[in-house]
Amino acid sequence: MGDVEAAPGELLETLRKAAAALTDAGIKFALAGGYAAYARGAAPSTHDVDFVLTEDEVEGALSALESVGMRRVEIPEGWLAKVHDDGRTVDLIFRPSGRAVDAALLARAEELNVEAVAMPVLTATDLTVLRLLAFDEKASDFGAYLPVSRALREQVDWPRVIAATADSPYAYAYLTLLHRLRVMEYGPPYEGSDG
């Protein structure tokens, strides 16, 4: 079964259930993706629920989610694991954009109440870095992420984003677009340009 759009209320219930199971099992994780952006002021996701965790926590996380009725899904990708909760997808991401999730990323996450459940949520800066590093020649739909960038712009450390994504031409293009749309101010490497 592939990922499908779900009603935000159904996904929120899956999010609450999954976060509670991971917390109860002592798994170190952080909410990522569309629902982390939602927790910080963006529109709710209708696609899936994303958590980041270190690779050594994946098996424990899968067991915890199975214990509350979710079903493990076998997938070929080597950078995440998936479970389904009555057709709704939860992604457990341990190597986003080819970079291993580490303790420092999880330590920067902030405890927030998401739909009345306290959980660690990635910072707006880390969310932005991870999203920009995911852009490539096959997946570079800038328009879909613009509303999120607008919603989170006051919370993002843009110089840090620029530095962390400097090797990506797709991130550079997206950041240039954000600058031209006045979503973000000038910062390296844009100083001295006529943009």
Side-chain angles (χ1 to χ4, degrees):
M1 175 188 288
D3 295 348
V4 296
E5 284 202 359
E10 293 173 345
L11 272 173
L12 285 169
E13 185 52 40
T14 292
L15 166 61
R16 286 192 290 266
K17 184 165 125 180
L22 295 174
T23 300
D24 290 348
I27 304 296
K28 292 181 177 73
F29 72 96
L31 182 62
Y35 272 110
Y38 167 70
R40 296 185 169 284
S45 176
T46 59
H47 183 60
D48 60 12
V49 175
D50 296 320
F51 296 106
V52 291
L53 69 173
T54 59
E55 189 168 2
D56 63 334
E57 292 273 37
V58 172
E59 276 305 316
L62 287 168
S63 295
L65 296 174
E66 286 176 316
S67 76
V68 295
M70 297 186 188
R71 184 176 51 83
R72 187 184 305 220
V73 178
E74 296 302 323
I75 57 170
E77 293 90 345
W79 54 276
L80 82 164
K82 284 184 185 278
V83 298
H84 281 162
D85 179 34
D86 196 23
R88 295 175 294 276
T89 301
V90 176
D91 288 340
L92 302 172
I93 302 167
F94 53 88
R95 195 180 310 279
S97 304
R99 296 178 176 196
V101 171
D102 60 17
L105 177 70
L106 297 177
R108 287 191 301 271
E110 299 165 340
E111 189 91 358
L112 297 177
N113 280 318
V114 184
E115 296 295 314
V117 176
M119 67 186 77
V121 178
L122 286 182
T123 67
T125 300
D126 284 325
L127 278 172
T128 302
V129 167
L130 291 178
R131 185 65 191 98
L132 269 58
L133 290 175
F135 287 140
D136 62 20
E137 63 187 24
K138 295 177 185 163
S140 56
D141 181 2
F142 294 170
Y145 199 65
L146 276 172
V148 176
S149 293
R150 287 183 190 281
L152 303 185
R153 67 181 163 197
E154 302 292 328
Q155 302 172 57
V156 174
D157 178 346
W158 291 109
R160 188 167 152 249
V161 169
I162 291 165
T165 62
D167 292 337
S168 167
Y170 300 96
Y172 185 95
Y174 184 76
L175 291 166
T176 300
L177 177 63
L178 289 186
H179 168 68
R180 295 297 298 265
L181 293 173
R182 307 218 185 291
V183 173
M184 60 177 270
E185 296 179 6
Y186 256 36
Y190 307 106
E191 291 159 341
S193 76
D194 55 25

